Amino acid sequence: MLQLNQIHKIFNEGTPDEKIALDWTNLQLKEGDFVTVIGSNGAGKSTLMNVISGVLIPDAGSVEIAGKDVTFLPEHKRARLIGRVFQDPMAGTAPNMTIEENLAMAYSRNKSRTLRRGVTKKRKDYFKEVLQSLNLGLENRLSAKVGLLSGGERQALSLLMATFTEPSILLLDEHTAALDPARAELITNLTKEIVEKYNLTTLMVTHNMQQALDLGNRLIMMDKGQIILEVDEQEKANLTVDQLLNEFQRIRGAKMTNDRALLS
Ligand SMILES: Nc1ncnc2c1ncn2[C@@H]1O[C@H](COP(=O)(O)OP(=O)(O)OP(=O)(O)O)[C@@H](O)[C@H]1O
Ligand SMILES: [Mg+2]
């Protein structure tokens, strides 16, 4: 469903600020895979998502989504294939538009022109129905401006808008990080439900190790632009947070020793 082949991305190449954000990275996702992504700040997690969504074009390597090479396809032309929710609740929705207008915008992104004009009443009913599934009462507030919603409500709406058109890939970049624990749990549970309901192929970045172990069927750990650890479903089920952290230290330590050996 998703294939990243030898992706290389360098920022500010040839300057003192040069940064290798993705270092010949490979990744393959099968349809329905739900992969949690962990790694320290600056590891390259968001860059990976930006390359998949077309915000960034890699310096080398290729990106395939649903069997199609999209490496050089501009972001707007692959938007239909991708659903994305960001850390900032303000990022995924238009605050001055109503809930209904926001949903209509997300909906039309994935439909042909004739369908876009579709029966308004029918579409309204559909929007109400999907909003109802969030259990937040938003179905009764279709004409409320999205800017008036709480962070948690906006994030739930963003998640819905990113998924109800059933994209080929769902990208979640720390989408619960800005919420209080109760709201974060709500959004986490919603994520689980929605991903299962549509069997979405999903990449979810999180700094919460427990969440990374609890959700999904695979886990990857990134460091310095590389995927340094891949955990499959079975291994994941038996791992604890402590073991995961030890593993991180072990791999990093080993890498540092190698680097030192190379430098000496
Ligand atoms: N547009 C950019 N211009 C220059 N450098 C960038 C840009 N985007 C990312 N970087 C750098 O690339 C590296 C990887 O950044 P990235 O945002 O992918 O990290 P991350 O793993 O998402 O980190 P975090 O957990 O802090 O979100 C960092 O060193 C970052 O400073
Ligand atoms: Mg990031």
Side-chain angles (χ1 to χ4, degrees):
M1 177 52 78
L2 172 77
Q3 191 148 345
L4 301 180
N5 306 306
Q6 296 285 318
I7 301 285
H8 205 61
K9 183 72 202 175
I10 307 182
F11 290 110
N12 306 316
E13 193 170 4
T15 76
D17 289 336
E18 180 172 302
K19 186 84 217 175
I20 301 174
L22 292 174
D23 198 7
W24 309 112
T25 308
N26 294 302
L27 181 66
Q28 268 188 42
L29 264 60
K30 289 200 287 287
E31 191 167 354
D33 268 348
F34 183 171
V35 184
T36 52
V37 184
I38 55 173
S40 44
N41 295 122
K45 306 178 298 296
S46 296
T47 305
L48 189 79
M49 303 225 157
N50 284 334
V51 163
I52 296 169
S53 62
V55 173
L56 291 172
I57 305 294
D59 300 323
S62 65
V63 182
E64 275 175 45
I65 299 176
K68 193 176 165 193
D69 188 328
V70 298
T71 315
F72 300 103
L73 202 65
E75 187 185 4
H76 67 274
K77 289 210 173 144
R78 62 176 106 165
R80 201 174 50 78
L81 301 170
I82 290 157
R84 193 167 186 188
V85 185
F86 298 88
Q87 178 173 351
D88 181 0
M90 305 301 162
T93 46
N96 294 320
M97 286 163 63
T98 66
I99 292 181
E100 187 177 12
E101 286 163 349
N102 269 276
L103 283 168
M105 195 172 58
Y107 187 76
S108 64
R109 202 182 51 199
N110 207 21
K111 301 289 174 212
S112 69
R113 226 168 252 169
T114 34
L115 277 173
R116 250 184 246 175
R117 276 195 234 109
V119 190
T120 325
K121 164 86 171 73
K122 205 166 147 194
R123 210 168 59 174
K124 201 174 197 140
D125 287 345
Y126 175 61
F127 290 166
K128 278 193 174 162
E129 187 189 313
V130 287
L131 282 170
Q132 220 152 15
S133 68
L134 299 179
N135 274 321
L136 292 170
L138 295 181
E139 63 278 11
N140 305 316
R141 300 171 67 188
L142 275 179
S143 48
K145 290 267 199 307
V146 164
L148 298 174
L149 304 182
S150 73
E153 288 166 344
R154 279 184 81 157
Q155 215 55 342
L157 186 64
S158 298
L159 187 61
L160 191 66
M161 284 166 57
T163 54
F164 79 145
T165 53
E166 299 182 41
S168 300
I169 305 282
L170 174 62
L171 302 174
L172 306 169
D173 198 348
E174 300 185 50
H175 71 308
T176 63
L179 305 173
D180 66 56
R183 294 284 172 264
E185 196 186 335
L186 177 104
I187 298 298
T188 301
N189 291 337
L190 268 178
T191 304
K192 223 171 1 187
E193 269 170 38
I194 291 177
V195 168
E196 270 168 27
K197 177 171 158 194
Y198 298 120
N199 189 35
L200 295 173
T201 310
T202 304
L203 268 176
M204 186 183 93
V205 176
T206 178
H207 282 286
N208 181 332
M209 300 285 148
Q210 192 61 55
Q211 194 182 46
L213 286 176
D214 290 345
L215 291 179
N217 67 325
R218 289 172 59 187
L219 177 151
I220 59 175
M221 185 188 280
M222 291 189 70
D223 189 45
K224 301 198 180 89
Q226 298 178 340
I227 295 172
I228 57 167
L229 177 70
E230 292 205 48
V231 182
D232 68 23
E233 189 158 23
Q234 215 175 358
E235 292 168 327
K236 201 157 166 309
N238 298 317
L239 261 185
T240 64
V241 170
D242 275 350
Q243 286 169 332
L244 194 59
L245 289 173
N246 286 341
E247 194 66 5
F248 180 52
Q249 242 123 40
R250 192 184 63 76
I251 299 168
R252 257 198 150 181
K255 253 178 85 184
M256 275 160 69
T257 322
N258 283 344
D259 287 348
R260 257 187 240 126
L262 281 173
L263 286 170
S264 64

